[in-house]
Amino acid sequence: MHRRVSTLAGVVILLALGLAPAPTAQSAPPGAIPRDAWGRPNLHGVWQASNEADVGLEDHMARAGMPAGRTVVEGGTIPYQPWARKKQQENFAARATADPLNKCYMPGVPRIMYMDFPFQIFQSRNQVAMTFEWSQIFRLIYTNGSKHADGIEFWMGDSRGRWDGDTLVVDVANHNDKTWFDQSGNFHSSELKLVERFTMLDADTMQYDVTVEDPKVFTAPWRMRMPLHRRKDVPRLLEYQCQAEVEEANGAFPRDPLTWFPGLQK
């Protein structure tokens, strides 16, 4: 069920949040890293990962509905504590019903960043906003020096960013323990802390690095990394509403034959 996301509604939301697009960005030669009005790399645009990390962060063979993929984890293997590796294996065995995403729960961070759905970045002086095609989830990354909220857990964590030269560094805290890293049952506790680094390599490629720390589950911090690619073939995000698609597939309601595609009639 893909429908157009209202551009006007999006602009209204951004204005209300103080996240209206930045003033005219500085022009850049073809291939050069674009920059915003304040001289920082301009992350505006639609982006998407191109890997199988959402299937499994580590090397994994193909299975029904799960294409094979290579690890995105530095060193190849996640450093689980023994009990936690056993728990991950139990999660994997029960993934058809145990994966929170199969219940249309929010994917959490970092999983939302490498799911097989595009997302769009909006950037202003003191905030970076990300909106995702998957169920219109969004992230607000405050770069104004504000601190994490105290005593509140979030499905998508609480993101606070800063610029380190040309790299956007984001500390993500206050996670709940309900989300997985991927379909393979890799998991964390509510003690999870992330440090994300977004670095533009060229005008259409952004390096995404994530350092993961959770002393309750892992023996040491570990890191994953992958490129994100600019989507030039889509002028805007479409819409994938997970719960609506599941209910329709289960026969809860019929699809409305009216769509926004030109030329299609009832």
Side-chain angles (χ1 to χ4, degrees), residues 61 70 74 101 115 140 146 160 177 188 207 213 264:
M61 66 181 69
R70 299 305 305 269
E74 190 174 71
L101 207 65
M115 288 174 61
L140 297 178
S146 59
R160 308 288 162 159
D177 61 357
H188 59 86
Q207 184 72 26
E213 183 177 354
L264 294 182

Side-chain angles (χ1 to χ4, degrees), residues 41-48 113 119 121 130 168 197-209 226-230:
N42 191 339
L43 309 182
H44 279 279
V46 178
W47 300 86
Q48 188 170 2
M113 302 303 302
F119 63 95
I121 297 179
M130 298 179 179
L168 175 64
R197 298 181 68 88
F198 297 84
T199 307
M200 292 193 72
L201 304 180
D202 57 48
D204 300 319
T205 311
M206 182 160 47
Q207 184 72 26
Y208 179 58
D209 289 8
M226 66 194 73
L228 303 173
H229 303 283
R230 187 185 298 277

Side-chain angles (χ1 to χ4, degrees), residues 7-154:
T7 303
L8 177 59
V11 171
V12 170
I13 292 172
L14 291 173
L15 288 171
L17 294 172
L19 286 166
T24 303
Q26 301 172 7
S27 59
I33 294 174
R35 295 187 179 273
D36 65 15
W38 301 282
R40 302 169 303 194
N42 191 339
L43 309 182
H44 279 279
V46 178
W47 300 86
Q48 188 170 2
S50 180
N51 56 34
E52 305 303 335
D54 183 50
V55 174
L57 296 180
E58 300 170 297
D59 285 338
H60 56 274
M61 66 181 69
R63 292 179 171 83
M66 301 176 71
R70 299 305 305 269
T71 185
V72 296
V73 176
E74 190 174 71
T77 305
I78 297 173
Y80 276 110
Q81 297 179 26
W83 74 267
R85 176 58 80 178
K86 182 179 179 181
K87 174 63 176 174
Q88 179 268 321
Q89 294 168 347
E90 292 171 352
N91 288 344
F92 178 79
R95 63 191 181 279
T97 56
D99 185 349
L101 207 65
N102 291 339
K103 301 180 179 70
C104 292
Y105 295 159
M106 291 186 186
V109 180
R111 187 175 183 179
I112 189 65
M113 302 303 302
Y114 45 78
M115 288 174 61
D116 193 21
F117 293 88
F119 63 95
Q120 189 165 1
I121 297 179
F122 301 89
Q123 181 176 332
S124 72
R125 185 168 188 172
N126 291 319
Q127 296 95 4
V128 174
M130 298 179 179
T131 182
F132 299 86
E133 182 172 297
W134 194 91
S135 292
Q136 280 64 71
I137 289 173
F138 65 90
R139 295 181 62 187
L140 297 178
I141 301 170
Y142 299 95
T143 58
N144 58 1
S146 59
K147 305 300 183 182
H148 289 291
D150 186 28
I152 303 175
E153 293 182 354
F154 301 90

Side-chain angles (χ1 to χ4, degrees), residues 175-193:
H175 305 263
N176 67 24
D177 61 357
K178 309 299 183 185
T179 64
W180 286 5
F181 289 112
D182 56 25
Q183 298 175 40
S184 295
N186 287 302
F187 75 105
H188 59 86
S189 77
S190 59
E191 295 185 27
L192 174 69
K193 288 183 172 54

